[in-house]
Amino acid sequence: MIFSINSDTLPAGSNVIELGCAEGVQLVDIARMHEIKATGVEVSPEMVDAARSTIYAQGMSGRIEVVEADMLTYPANQQYEGVIATSLLHWIIPHGEQEISKLFDKF
């Protein structure tokens, strides 16, 4: 995958969150390329297990955390400098614009 993230606006050490992180592959790639810390939120227990395995296998356990949660109810207890949501396109239509707006306002 190719990611276009401006390192000036997201410097090393920044915290980002990925909503719907699936197996965690994208999260690992972005965290490694940009030297950031990351939290992945995923509702599927199987995907959470897969993401944690991916993160461990890539030696990124110290910089990436994955939580099993619904992104709409996940409490944003910290500030994030970036939100990754590339896997949400299939989710947007059934939930509508207002739900999406509320979701991104949280972070």
Side-chain angles (χ1 to χ4, degrees), residues 84-100:
I84 303 164
T86 58
S87 301
L88 293 182
L89 294 177
H90 67 280
W91 185 85
I92 291 173
I93 293 173
H95 289 86
E97 188 176 325
Q98 288 182 335
E99 289 297 317
I100 300 300

Side-chain angles (χ1 to χ4, degrees), residues 29-56:
D29 289 345
I30 291 172
R32 182 172 286 132
M33 286 171 51
H34 298 282
E35 297 181 19
I36 58 174
K37 299 174 189 168
T39 300
V41 179
E42 177 58 55
V43 71
S44 164
E46 295 81 13
M47 289 291 126
V48 169
D49 288 344
R52 288 177 178 157
S53 293
T54 299
I55 291 161
Y56 179 78

Side-chain angles (χ1 to χ4, degrees), residues 44-89:
S44 164
E46 295 81 13
M47 289 291 126
V48 169
D49 288 344
R52 288 177 178 157
S53 293
T54 299
I55 291 161
Y56 179 78
Q58 294 296 316
M60 299 293 284
S61 298
R63 290 184 24 212
I64 303 172
E65 170 191 25
V66 175
V67 294
E68 183 181 332
D70 184 318
M71 66 186 115
L72 287 176
T73 57
Y74 178 71
N77 296 330
Q78 64 179 340
Q79 185 70 30
Y80 297 98
E81 286 81 29
V83 177
I84 303 164
T86 58
S87 301
L88 293 182
L89 294 177

Side-chain angles (χ1 to χ4, degrees), residues 10-39:
L10 194 64
S14 296
N15 284 314
V16 300
I17 187 167
E18 181 175 18
L19 305 173
C21 69
E23 297 96 345
V25 174
Q26 178 172 265
L27 205 53
V28 167
D29 289 345
I30 291 172
R32 182 172 286 132
M33 286 171 51
H34 298 282
E35 297 181 19
I36 58 174
K37 299 174 189 168
T39 300

